[in-house]
Amino acid sequence: MRRIMSNPSVSIIVTNYNYAKYLPRCLRSCLSQKNINCEVIVVDDVSTDNSIDVLEPFKEHIRIIQNVENVGVAASANEGLRMSRGQFVIRVDADDFVSADMSYFMKTYLEANHDAFCVSCDYVLVNNHEEVIERKYAEKDNISCGIMYRRDLLLESGGYNPLMRHREEEELRKRLGDFYKIHHLRIPFYRYRMHNHNKTKDAAYKTWVV
C-alpha cells in the first residue's frame, strides 16, 4: 500500500459507522488507485463496533478523522471535505469498493470538461460474495457515492446539508438546481454492496442479498 500523499490530486472520502466488517475491502480498493496521487480520508462517526481497531493497520496510509459525536453521513462527509487537500473529491461508502481505474479516469474527464460541476460513474450491485447482481446506470438510478466533484465548487456551494441523515445527495441537487451540472461516465467503476445492514439502500434489493 502507498504512503499518505503530500500533494494529492484526488481525495477519496470514506464515511463509516459500524462497518468494520467491510472497511478493509473498501480501503484496499481506495488505496489501489492507479496512475494518480490520491489521499484516502476515513471519517468515523463514533462507531460502536471495532472499526477503530480495524483502521489501525491502515493508519500510515490513510488520514483518520474521529467524530466526537454521531452526526450522520452528511455532516461526516462535510468534515472530510473540509480536511481534504485534493483538487477533486469523491465519496465511497465504507461497505462498498471501487475499481483501481476510477480516480484517474474521472479526474481526467473533469480536467477535459470545465463546464462540469461533477461527474458520476455507473455502478454494479454485488452481494456479500462480491458476485455481480446487476449493472446500474447513474444517469437513471443515481446514488450519493461514486461522484467526483471539483472541491472548490463543492465547498463554495456549502457542501452537504448537515441536517440530512440520509439522501444528502438528492437534497444537494435540488438546492443547487441548474448550477448542479453533472456529467456521466458510462463505466461501472463503483461496486455497490447489497447486504442486510444497508442504511440507505432500497429494500427491494434485499432479495438478492446472500
Side-chain angles (χ1 to χ4, degrees), residues 117-118 149 153-154 156-160 169-181:
F117 174 60
C118 56
Y149 291 93
L153 295 184
L154 185 56
E156 288 173 14
S157 73
Y160 300 103
E169 179 68 28
E170 180 178 319
E171 188 279 335
L172 179 66
R173 294 183 191 219
K174 291 180 179 178
R175 173 163 39 98
L176 298 186
D178 292 339
F179 181 75
Y180 190 108
K181 190 165 186 181

Side-chain angles (χ1 to χ4, degrees), residues 16 27 31 38 69 83 87 95 97 100 103-105 115 117 120 130-131 149 157 170 174 210:
N16 175 68
L27 295 179
L31 290 167
C38 288
E69 61 179 329
M83 295 297 293
Q87 181 182 1
D95 53 338
F97 56 102
S103 295
Y104 172 76
F105 277 91
D115 60 323
F117 174 60
S120 69
E130 301 185 9
E131 299 166 335
Y149 291 93
S157 73
E170 180 178 319
K174 291 180 179 178
V210 177

Side-chain angles (χ1 to χ4, degrees), residues 10-16 19 26 29-30 33 39-43 72-82 84 88-99 102-103 106 118-123 143-150 154 159-161 164-173 175 180 189-192 199-201:
V10 171
S11 298
I12 301 175
I13 299 171
V14 178
T15 56
N16 175 68
Y19 276 155
C26 174
S29 73
C30 293
Q33 297 299 290
E39 67 171 353
V40 178
I41 300 171
V42 177
V43 185
V73 66
S76 296
N78 283 341
E79 184 62 22
L81 174 63
R82 285 189 290 268
S84 63
F88 306 101
V89 295
I90 185 168
R91 285 175 50 203
V92 176
D93 274 346
D95 53 338
D96 298 333
F97 56 102
V98 297
S99 162
M102 178 189 72
S103 295
M106 297 182 77
C118 56
V119 61
S120 69
C121 66
D122 288 343
Y123 55 101
I143 54 175
S144 297
C145 294
I147 305 173
M148 184 174 286
Y149 291 93
R150 301 183 190 277
L154 185 56
Y160 300 103
N161 183 341
M164 301 293 293
R165 302 291 292 193
H166 300 299
R167 308 185 76 86
E168 68 286 346
E169 179 68 28
E170 180 178 319
E171 188 279 335
L172 179 66
R173 294 183 191 219
R175 173 163 39 98
Y180 190 108
F189 290 128
Y190 200 90
R191 300 293 183 267
Y192 194 96
K199 295 182 175 65
T200 60
K201 299 178 173 91

